[in-house]
Amino acid sequence: MQRTLVLLKPDALQRGLAGEIISRLEGRGLKIVAMKMMQMDEELAKRLYEIHKGKSFFQGLIEQITSSPIIAAVFEGENAVELVRGTMGETDPALAMPGTIRGDLALDIGRNLIHGADSEEIAEKESELFFSAKEIFRLHP
Ligand code: DAT
Ligand code: MG
């Protein structure tokens, strides 16, 4: 069983798409094991997107993700990292396949609705940025 970090970005909440996105992930068999609504500060955003530091879109990315509240969640399931990434679709909604969250619902690359960790190792690091060990639950104790 794998766990992965998911963020519903500001545009997801502003457009009233949180339920739809969560429903699509649950529909793939993924289960919520942690969830919170919060507004990210610049420090957290820069830690999350550290690997993109120096890229042309970095500043805009930090501004967008801190502009308004998000929902952070940890989803659990077989192959959760890949399953979430596949359900999200490509980074650029113009290239994302129909049937994916971004392909069906996102407007453009700067407003692509959802973040998902892209490896198991990164997922663990990212989950620790948003949740303490006590905030991540076991569904079948
Ligand atoms: P993903 O979110 O699919 O993991 P990423 O890690 O490559 O994509 O980039 C993180 C975010 O940065 C992405 O969701 C949107 C933004 N971004 C990436 N490439 C961009 C670009 N060329 N122009 C504008 N924003 C971009
Ligand atoms: Mg990424």
Side-chain angles (χ1 to χ4, degrees):
M1 205 65 102
Q2 236 176 29
R3 289 174 164 188
T4 191
L5 180 89
V6 169
L7 304 179
L8 307 187
K9 295 183 180 179
D11 51 320
L13 276 69
Q14 285 168 340
R15 293 177 58 210
L17 292 171
E20 159 104 30
I21 293 168
I22 292 164
S23 183
R24 283 175 179 237
L25 295 172
E26 289 186 327
R28 304 291 320 259
L30 294 157
K31 308 281 165 58
I32 299 164
V33 293
M35 185 167 274
K36 67 170 73 159
M37 183 165 171
M38 63 185 290
Q39 186 151 357
M40 289 174 66
D41 63 19
E42 196 175 317
E43 189 190 332
L44 178 58
K46 285 183 169 165
R47 285 172 78 182
L48 176 72
Y49 283 128
E50 204 172 8
I51 60 157
H52 297 301
K53 202 175 171 188
K55 294 184 187 165
S56 60
F57 58 84
F58 183 72
Q59 200 51 42
L61 179 60
I62 299 304
E63 279 167 22
Q64 165 66 14
I65 200 96
T66 58
S67 65
S68 171
I70 58 131
I71 289 174
V74 177
F75 278 85
E76 181 180 84
E78 290 297 332
N79 227 357
V81 170
E82 257 189 69
L83 198 53
V84 166
R85 294 290 306 187
T87 308
M88 284 163 57
E90 292 282 319
T91 305
D92 183 351
L95 304 175
M97 295 291 285
T100 64
I101 291 165
R102 286 165 167 171
D104 290 346
L105 303 169
L107 300 174
D108 55 56
I109 199 166
R111 290 172 294 176
N112 61 7
L113 296 171
I114 180 169
H115 168 85
D118 60 8
S119 74
E120 199 170 6
E121 195 192 338
I122 301 278
E124 201 174 324
K125 282 189 188 151
E126 291 185 355
S127 297
E128 284 169 8
L129 292 178
F130 289 87
F131 297 100
S132 69
K134 275 187 172 172
E135 291 174 319
I136 304 177
F137 292 89
R138 288 173 55 185
L139 295 182
H140 304 288

